[in-house]
């Protein structure tokens, strides 16, 4: 955000000035600042009667700059507002899907409130909205704890990503109410959460740098995903397959966007803290986690992670994916005709799956691909899309049909 704003502001200023310069002024001096300085210097003169028009344009530019300078703060405010809307929706869906939780509610209501309802469903909807309203009125740490109590979940609020999220929520309050100026309440709340604010002082003005914004987005994203997955799996244990698929699809999309660090954070949660629907999905998450670690430059940790598992009895898709992540291209070449012959992988997966990113550059793999599919691996895929789970969902079908052996 910080690096882009000056460019945006400069572009808008020139859009305002250009018509004036073309019609009211004339250029006096032009200077090209050379190869190492990528800008030009132009000096204009204008008649004195055009001065008032110039001043109006100058004021418009100043107002634009002032508005644009607020954009990073507004984005953080909007981000937390979206999170609050997400929590409200999560509570609503959770309670309506499990009426027994509503039936056990110890909330007290006025008789006049109950008299308004024609049906029990209307009364339940009222209870749900009351629960949401009460939760959203709390600070964001209490919100997390309230959701935990409501759905009988253990939610840790001392994790690093949670603390980053809570600080962003308090900073949002500063942006909303006092223009980003640090207050005693901000410092006290942060200390209460366990956030180190020893370098902050009352009266200091906080901004939103590019690195801060990226960090906040990751923290809010991780809190949201964990909360959604926890509530979903707790309330609907029979839907764990769907939850596993949704989780895999999400981290696969992050990998395609090359957001390896956030994908790795989520996959660490997926591999170690989720109760999976089957061992197949656990292994899929391990392979995808190892791959994003490798793509992010930590091939050694990826290798250690994969070597902790015995892949010998796993299906062909697992074996070739593991070989690809480990850069064992001889094994990839050996397995290619087998996995294609079994109908488990097509040319699309070889071209698009992130686990094959390095393999696609290997000459032997490229030659074997051309031998099998009679075309180059670098051809663009226009008519089909890769499966979004990183390892094909129909692997589950193969396992059911006895075509893949999973530990």
């Amino acid at each position: 955000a910080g690096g882009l704003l000056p460019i945006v502001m400069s572009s808008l200023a020139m859009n305002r000035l250009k018509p004036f310069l073309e019609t009211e002024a004339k250029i006096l001096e032009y200077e090209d600042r050379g190869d190492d300085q990528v800008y030009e210097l132009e000096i204009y003169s204008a008649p004195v009667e055009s001065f008032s028009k110039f001043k109006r344009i100058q004021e418009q530019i100043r107002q634009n700059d002032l508005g644009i300078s607020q954009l990073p703060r507004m984005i953080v405010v909007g981000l937390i507002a979206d999170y609050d809307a997400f929590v409200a929706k999560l509570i609503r869906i959770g309670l309506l899907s499990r009426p027994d939780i509503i039936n056990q509610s110890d909330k007290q209501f006025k008789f006049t409130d109950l008299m308004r309802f024609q049906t029990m469903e209307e009364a339940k909807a009222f209870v749900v909205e009351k629960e949401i309203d009460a939760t959203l009125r709390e600070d964001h740490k209490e919100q997390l704890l309230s959701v935990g109590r409501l759905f009988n979940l253990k939610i840790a609020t001392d994790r690093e990503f949670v603390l980053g999220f809570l600080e962003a929520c308090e900073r949002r309050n500063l942006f909303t109410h006092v223009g980003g100026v640090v207050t005693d309440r901000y410092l006290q709340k942060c200390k209460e959460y366990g956030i180190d604010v020893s370098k902050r002082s009352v009266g200091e003005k906080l901004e939103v740098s590019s690195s801060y914004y990226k960090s906040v987005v990751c923290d809010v994203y991780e809190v949201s995903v964990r909360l959604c997955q926890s509530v979903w799996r707790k309330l609907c244990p029979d839907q764990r397959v769907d939850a596993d698929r949704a989780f895999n699809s999400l981290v696969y999309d992050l990998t395609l966007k090359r957001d390896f660090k956030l994908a790795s954070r989520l996959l660490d949660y997926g591999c170690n803290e989720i109760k999976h629907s089957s061992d197949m999905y656990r292994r899929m998450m391990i392979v995808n986690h190892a791959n994003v670690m490798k793509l992010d430059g930590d091939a050694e940790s990826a290798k250690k992670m994969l070597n902790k598992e015995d892949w010998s009895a796993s299906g062909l898709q697992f074996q070739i994916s593991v070989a690809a992540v480990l850069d064992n291209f001889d094994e990839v070449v050996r397995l290619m005709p087998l996995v294609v012959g079994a109908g488990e992988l097509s040319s699309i997966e070889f071209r698009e799956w992130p686990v094959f990113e390095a393999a696609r550059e290997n000459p032997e793999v490229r030659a074997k691909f051309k031998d099998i599919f009679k075309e180059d691996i670098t051809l663009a895929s226009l008519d089909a899309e890769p499966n979004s789970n990183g390892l094909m969902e129909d692997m589950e079908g193969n396992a059911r049909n006895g075509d893949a052996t999973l530990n």
Side-chain angles (χ1 to χ4, degrees):
L4 183 61
L5 278 181
I7 299 173
V8 174
M9 294 165 73
S10 175
S11 176
L12 289 175
M14 280 307 301
N15 287 339
R16 290 278 188 182
L17 273 175
K18 189 174 180 181
F20 175 83
L21 295 176
E22 291 176 345
T23 59
E24 306 284 342
K26 64 179 181 179
I27 190 167
L28 292 179
E29 184 178 339
Y30 169 84
E31 182 179 350
D32 188 340
R33 288 302 175 108
D35 295 336
D36 58 336
Q37 300 185 50
V38 291
Y39 65 92
E40 301 167 346
L41 176 65
E42 297 177 345
I43 299 176
Y44 289 84
S45 69
V48 67
E49 55 266 26
S50 299
F51 182 71
S52 61
K53 184 176 181 180
F54 173 76
K55 291 295 290 182
R56 288 196 300 273
I57 295 173
Q58 189 178 44
E59 177 61 18
Q60 291 171 350
I61 292 172
R62 189 187 72 81
Q63 292 292 336
N64 284 343
D65 289 351
L66 183 63
I68 292 171
S69 66
Q70 301 299 316
L71 278 177
R73 299 182 187 182
M74 293 167 62
I75 292 172
V76 170
V77 171
L79 182 66
I80 304 303
D82 283 345
Y83 169 82
D84 287 340
F86 156 77
V87 170
K89 187 174 183 179
L90 183 66
I91 293 173
R92 185 177 297 111
I93 292 173
L95 290 179
L96 293 177
S97 68
R98 286 285 300 273
D100 56 300
I101 298 176
I102 302 176
N103 296 339
Q104 296 168 9
S105 174
D106 58 0
K107 289 283 191 300
Q108 296 182 356
F109 305 101
K110 294 179 181 179
F111 181 73
T112 53
D113 288 332
L114 297 177
M115 288 295 291
R116 292 189 287 125
F117 308 125
Q118 300 293 321
T119 66
M120 184 59 70
E121 292 305 311
E122 290 181 2
K124 287 181 178 180
F126 175 79
V127 174
V128 169
E129 295 308 316
K130 278 287 189 181
E131 191 70 55
I132 291 171
D133 183 66
T135 302
L136 294 183
R137 288 179 183 274
E138 298 171 326
D139 66 46
H140 284 81
K141 179 179 179 179
E142 278 304 311
Q143 279 188 24
L144 290 171
L145 295 175
S146 291
V147 172
R149 287 190 293 268
L150 189 61
F151 298 119
N152 195 24
L153 296 168
K154 292 182 180 180
I155 297 180
T157 57
D158 58 351
R159 307 280 287 270
E160 184 177 352
F161 67 92
V162 178
L163 296 180
F165 160 72
L166 294 176
E167 190 282 330
C169 293
E170 293 303 320
R171 189 176 297 209
R172 183 281 302 266
N173 293 338
L174 296 183
F175 292 150
T176 302
H177 302 297
V178 291
V181 176
V182 172
T183 62
D184 185 63
R185 184 186 184 283
Y186 166 85
L187 296 177
Q188 291 303 318
K189 292 298 289 185
C190 286
K191 290 176 184 177
E192 180 184 314
Y193 297 149
I195 300 169
D196 181 14
V197 287
S198 58
K199 296 181 180 180
R200 299 295 185 197
S201 58
V202 173
E204 177 185 358
K205 194 167 186 177
L206 301 182
E207 300 293 347
V208 179
S209 66
S210 179
S211 59
Y212 176 82
Y213 175 70
K214 290 177 182 177
S215 175
V216 167
V217 168
C218 288
D219 291 339
V220 174
Y221 199 98
E222 185 168 1
V223 169
S224 303
V225 170
R226 283 172 172 260
L227 201 58
C228 181
Q229 284 280 323
S230 297
V231 171
W232 189 359
R233 292 168 187 275
K234 180 72 174 183
L235 298 185
C236 307
D238 58 323
Q239 294 180 18
R240 283 186 186 142
V241 170
D242 295 325
D244 283 342
R245 285 174 175 169
F247 184 85
N248 268 348
S249 180
L250 183 149
V251 294
Y252 178 80
D253 289 342
L254 287 173
T255 306
L256 285 185
K257 295 173 183 175
R258 309 195 76 75
D259 196 342
F260 301 135
K261 284 184 170 52
L262 180 54
S264 183
R265 284 167 56 170
L266 292 177
L267 282 163
D268 182 67
Y269 161 70
C271 291
N272 300 305
E273 299 180 50
I274 281 179
K275 186 174 181 180
H276 306 94
S277 60
S278 67
D279 190 61
M280 178 192 70
Y281 277 105
R282 181 186 70 85
R283 286 174 173 259
M284 288 170 69
M285 292 181 194
I286 290 173
V287 173
N288 287 331
H289 191 190
N291 189 51
V292 296
M293 293 172 72
K294 174 194 171 186
L295 293 174
D296 198 35
D298 192 359
E300 188 60 33
S301 294
K303 182 178 179 180
K304 289 179 180 178
M305 179 177 291
L306 291 175
N307 286 341
K308 289 179 181 178
E309 298 284 328
D310 179 9
W311 302 97
S312 60
S314 297
L316 291 173
Q317 285 186 20
F318 276 126
Q319 292 181 34
I320 196 169
S321 296
V322 169
V325 176
L326 294 175
D327 290 342
N328 186 352
F329 300 129
D330 288 343
E331 182 68 0
V332 172
V333 169
R334 185 187 74 81
L335 290 171
M336 284 176 72
L338 300 178
V339 74
V340 173
E344 295 186 23
L345 288 182
S346 71
S347 61
I348 303 301
E349 283 71 51
F350 279 111
R351 285 179 173 137
E352 303 291 348
W353 277 10
V355 292
F356 295 122
E357 182 168 310
R360 286 190 287 269
E361 302 302 318
N362 178 265
E364 286 74 23
V365 172
R366 295 169 69 90
K368 178 58 71 173
F369 181 95
K370 189 167 186 177
D371 179 57
I372 295 172
F373 295 106
K374 311 305 179 186
E375 57 188 19
D376 292 329
I377 199 169
T378 52
L379 288 178
S381 175
L382 301 177
D383 300 323
E385 294 183 357
N387 181 287
S388 62
N389 267 337
L391 289 172
M392 293 177 67
E393 283 181 0
D394 64 13
M395 183 187 292
E396 186 180 28
N398 292 337
R400 285 196 299 265
N401 296 330
D403 297 330
T405 305
L406 301 173
N407 290 339

